């Protein structure tokens, strides 16, 4: 069998694309390997969301190209968002790259490999913006091979025009996947052993089962999945705050299978900065949606993304962000220093005027605030019991299991690996900044969940 090494950068969408590519490649006689040295085919599924991610991908590709200098029979492919952004120009820097293809052209992989086998290079870089021409990959793993927690593509692309964001230009316009296809895939995954699915989309909250604005939205899709499949937990990522409507909030209240967690990127807490980011909402609107979400379900967890040092962000604007974080009380947050991305409105039309050291100071202040809020919220859970999906053994401690609560918190607890894949009641007895410790509730013990 031939061997493929895939290195994946970036978001869950890329992770999911990698899973799908491995399924396609299995059909072409490739087996996955974790070692670059023994690979016949090396693929780099890249991310360009921030400058740092872009550099990381480029330097890994550089390593592969060096290896190819020693072993010319290796095929090198670059896909994902750097491939889409840089296109065939990437080969100017690295002439040894054989294949360059974008996220919309994953299904072309077998054909691209064939072209390389018959000599030369192969590229597939067109974005597909027309629903009738777009085909979502629907291969699912065989029975018994499905991941405990699986990703399912609900839509692709993004029609927003946030001024800092490169995603619309590398992932194209929004296209929603037909609901029947999604329900079918979730059903198949559940039959093959998955317990939890996460519906994916760059702006998943804009999902529409029909053309344009027609058809059911995300709430309707979730209702169908809950009613028509055996899957026990449903999640989605990432939504845009503007698209969080009462119907979706109501779904959190009414649908037990929809996990009480939402990752809702806010980006900033100052109206001035939100406006120049072109986010389309105000700080008050975000706070109102977040509090409605919190009220919809007990134990609801809200996590977010934040950018510090956006062009024009003053010390006062940054204070507004910290205050907004306190008001919402995020359960956890990812935060990033702003970096200009080519072709975006902010990079072309605004000056990256917040000095690096100010960005760094703001980032560490923000992270310290979030750390203490996360710890407080985690500590408040000590003594409560929640259902935990056991996902694997704890890499740090022998005899321990790592699991995920419905609110998305990671829990470590002593247990036998035979429970992996089960949903079990766990009492929380310790809190860390980013995870919880717990103990399995024993058989026959009265379990009263909080
Ligand atoms: N600079 C810094 N952070 C960014 N993000 C997106 N674009 C940029 C940028 N140009 C962050 C946002 C987004 C997350 C995935 O990455 O917070 O939600
Ligand atoms: Fe990175 Fe965005 Fe592409 Fe995901 S969609 S891989 S985060 S650039």
């Amino acid at each position: 069998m031939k061997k493929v090494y895939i290195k994946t950068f970036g978001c869950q969408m890329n992770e999911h694309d990698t899973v799908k590519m491995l399924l396609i490649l299995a059909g072409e006689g490739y087996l996955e390997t974790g070692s670059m040295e023994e690979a016949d085919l090396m693929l780099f599924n890249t991310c360009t969301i921030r400058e740092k991610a872009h550099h990381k991908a480029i330097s890994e590709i550089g390593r592969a190209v060096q290896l190819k200098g020693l072993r010319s029979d290796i095929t090198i492919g670059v896909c994902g968002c750097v491939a889409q952004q840089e296109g065939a120009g990437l080969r100017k820097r690295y002439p040894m790259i054989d294949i360059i293809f974008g996220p919309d052209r994953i299904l072309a992989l077998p054909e691209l490999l064939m072209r390389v086998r018959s000599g030369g290079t192969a590229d597939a870089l067109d974005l597909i913006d027309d629903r009738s021409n777009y085909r979502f990959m629907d291969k699912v793993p065989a029975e018994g091979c499905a991941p405990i927690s699986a990703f399912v593509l609900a839509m692709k692309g993004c029609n927003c025009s946030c001024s800092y964001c490169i995603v619309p230009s590398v992932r194209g316009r929004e296209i929603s996947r037909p609901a029947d296809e999604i329900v079918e895939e979730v059903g198949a995954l559940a039959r093959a052993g998955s317990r939890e699915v996460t519906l994916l989309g760059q702006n998943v909250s804009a999902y529409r089962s029909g053309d344009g604005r027609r058809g059911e939205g995300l709430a309707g899709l979730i209702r169908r999945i809950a009613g028509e499949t055996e899957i026990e937990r449903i999640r989605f990522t990432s939504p845009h705050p503007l698209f969080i409507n009462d119907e979706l909030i109501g779904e959190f209240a009414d649908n037990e299978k929809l996990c009480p967690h939402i990752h809702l990127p806010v980006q900033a807490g100052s109206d001035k900065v939100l406006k120049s980011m072109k986010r389309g909402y105000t700080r008050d609107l975000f706070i109102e949606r977040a509090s409605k979400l919190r009220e919809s379900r007990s134990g609801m967890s809200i996590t977010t993304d934040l950018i510090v040092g956006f062009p024009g962000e003053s010390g006062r604007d940054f204070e507004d962000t910290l205050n907004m974080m306190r008001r919402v009380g995020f359960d956890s947050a990812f935060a990033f220093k702003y970096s200009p991305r080519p072709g975006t409105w902010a990079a072309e039309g605004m000056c990256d005027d917040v000095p690096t050291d100010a960005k760094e100071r703001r980032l560490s202040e923000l992270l310290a605030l979030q750390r203490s809020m996360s710890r407080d919220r985690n500590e408040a859970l000590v003594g409560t019991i929640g259902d935990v999906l056991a996902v694997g053994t704890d890499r740090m401690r022998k005899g321990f299991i790592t699991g995920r609560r419905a609110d998305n918190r990671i829990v470590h607890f002593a247990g036998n690996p035979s429970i992996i894949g089960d949903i079990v009641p766990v009492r929380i007895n310790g809190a860390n900044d980013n995870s919880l410790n717990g103990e399995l509730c024993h058989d026959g013990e009265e379990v009263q969940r909080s």
Side-chain angles (χ1 to χ4, degrees):
M1 280 212 58
K2 291 169 285 188
K3 295 207 170 133
V4 54
Y5 167 87
I6 300 198
K7 175 87 185 167
T8 310
F9 304 84
C11 64
Q12 285 111 329
M13 192 73 81
N14 259 19
E15 279 177 41
H16 178 71
D17 286 347
T18 290
V19 170
K20 296 282 183 187
M21 282 192 279
L22 284 170
L23 285 170
I24 295 178
L25 288 168
E28 300 290 307
Y30 283 91
L31 207 67
E32 190 184 7
T33 170
S35 135
M36 259 194 187
E37 281 71 22
E38 62 176 44
D40 303 289
L41 168 64
M42 286 196 260
L43 283 179
F44 296 90
N45 193 6
T46 57
C47 170
T48 187
I49 191 80
R50 291 170 295 275
E51 218 163 47
K52 217 161 123 187
H54 192 99
H55 287 157
K56 226 158 86 185
I58 296 286
S59 81
E60 279 288 309
I61 296 165
R63 241 169 36 101
V65 164
Q66 270 182 355
L67 202 68
K68 187 162 172 159
L70 306 171
R71 255 192 62 198
S72 62
D73 56 329
I74 310 173
T75 302
I76 299 181
V78 180
C79 53
C81 298
V82 171
Q84 190 64 47
Q85 187 207 335
E86 296 221 355
L90 253 183
R91 212 176 266 115
K92 276 213 189 86
R93 183 161 7 173
Y94 294 129
M96 293 223 195
I97 300 175
D98 300 285
I99 307 173
I100 301 175
F101 61 109
D104 278 0
R105 299 305 311 278
I106 285 175
L107 291 170
L109 187 50
E111 181 201 318
L112 298 171
L113 284 168
M114 208 157 71
R115 270 164 39 201
V116 168
R117 271 196 298 273
S118 50
T121 58
D123 301 336
L125 286 157
D126 36 332
L127 280 170
I128 305 170
D129 284 343
D130 158 17
R131 193 173 201 229
S132 53
N133 282 331
Y134 196 84
R135 214 156 64 70
F136 288 89
M137 233 298 259
D138 53 6
K139 268 192 190 348
V140 290
E143 198 116 355
C145 298
I148 296 165
S149 177
F151 293 125
V152 174
L153 208 54
M155 55 86 72
K156 76 107 197 166
C158 182
N159 291 358
C160 296
S161 41
C162 306
S163 59
Y164 53 83
C165 189
I166 198 166
V167 170
S169 73
V170 288
R171 290 276 178 166
R173 306 284 296 165
E174 287 168 9
I175 297 182
S176 288
R177 187 176 178 194
D180 286 344
E181 230 181 277
I182 301 172
V183 173
E184 210 169 286
E185 181 164 332
V186 175
L189 283 164
R191 286 192 297 279
S194 295
R195 309 296 299 272
E196 172 178 279
V197 290
T198 303
L199 302 172
L200 289 181
Q202 271 96 17
N203 179 8
V204 73
S205 47
Y207 178 81
R208 279 284 158 201
S209 60
D211 269 329
R213 294 184 170 274
R214 287 202 302 271
E216 290 268 30
L218 182 63
L221 174 66
I222 292 169
R223 238 179 346 263
R224 273 197 65 184
I225 293 172
E228 295 175 35
T229 75
E230 294 301 313
I231 205 77
E232 283 145 293
R233 286 179 167 189
I234 305 168
R235 305 178 186 278
F236 58 84
T237 201
S238 282
H240 187 294
L242 256 192
F243 293 75
I244 303 300
N245 54 22
D246 288 345
E247 192 193 2
L248 190 59
I249 295 174
E251 205 52 34
F252 277 107
D254 301 338
N255 188 342
E256 284 266 306
K257 286 187 172 187
L258 179 59
C259 290
H261 166 239
I262 187 164
H263 184 72
L264 194 58
V266 64
Q267 313 300 4
S270 133
D271 280 341
K272 184 188 98 194
V273 174
L274 285 170
K275 193 158 181 212
S276 52
M277 286 179 163
K278 298 185 190 282
R279 290 291 285 171
Y281 54 85
T282 58
R283 156 201 182 89
D284 285 350
L285 189 98
F286 184 91
I287 291 171
E288 185 247 334
R289 300 274 155 102
S291 70
K292 271 194 170 170
L293 281 162
R294 278 242 195 269
E295 283 160 19
S296 70
R297 184 92 159 257
S298 83
M300 183 78 186
S301 151
I302 304 179
T303 59
T304 200
D305 289 344
L306 292 141
I307 297 175
V308 297
F310 186 75
E313 184 191 69
S314 65
R316 178 82 190 275
D317 294 321
F318 176 63
E319 285 299 321
D320 283 348
T321 295
L322 298 181
N323 291 333
M324 187 268 316
M325 290 171 68
R326 290 189 196 98
R327 278 281 293 278
V328 177
F330 291 111
D331 293 79
S332 76
F334 296 111
F336 312 99
K337 283 180 283 184
Y338 168 74
S339 62
R341 307 306 298 124
T344 59
W345 195 87
E348 306 299 325
M350 301 177 90
C351 173
D352 183 14
D353 56 359
V354 180
T356 307
D357 59 337
K359 283 183 185 165
E360 266 155 19
R361 245 182 296 118
R362 287 176 195 175
L363 183 65
S364 55
E365 193 176 338
L366 186 154
L367 290 173
L369 169 65
Q370 185 55 53
R371 208 174 304 118
S372 88
M373 291 199 306
S374 300
R375 184 173 265 273
D376 288 351
R377 296 188 73 84
N378 285 346
E379 268 165 7
L381 293 168
V382 171
T384 65
I385 294 169
D387 286 332
V388 173
L389 173 59
V391 289
T393 51
D394 187 342
R395 266 184 257 141
M396 310 298 279
R397 268 188 302 177
K398 212 171 152 13
F400 277 71
I401 300 292
T402 296
R404 191 170 326 146
R405 286 163 45 104
D407 64 10
N408 213 36
R409 286 181 167 84
I410 298 294
V411 189
H412 306 285
F413 58 98
N416 192 303
S418 63
I419 66 165
I420 290 171
D422 291 350
I423 296 177
V424 291
V426 173
R427 177 181 290 105
I428 303 306
N429 57 19
N432 313 305
D433 292 350
N434 294 314
S435 65
L436 299 166
N437 302 326
E439 58 189 346
L440 205 52
C441 296
H442 300 297
D443 273 354
E445 189 178 356
E446 174 104 5
V447 175
Q448 261 189 1
R449 290 174 182 86
S450 49

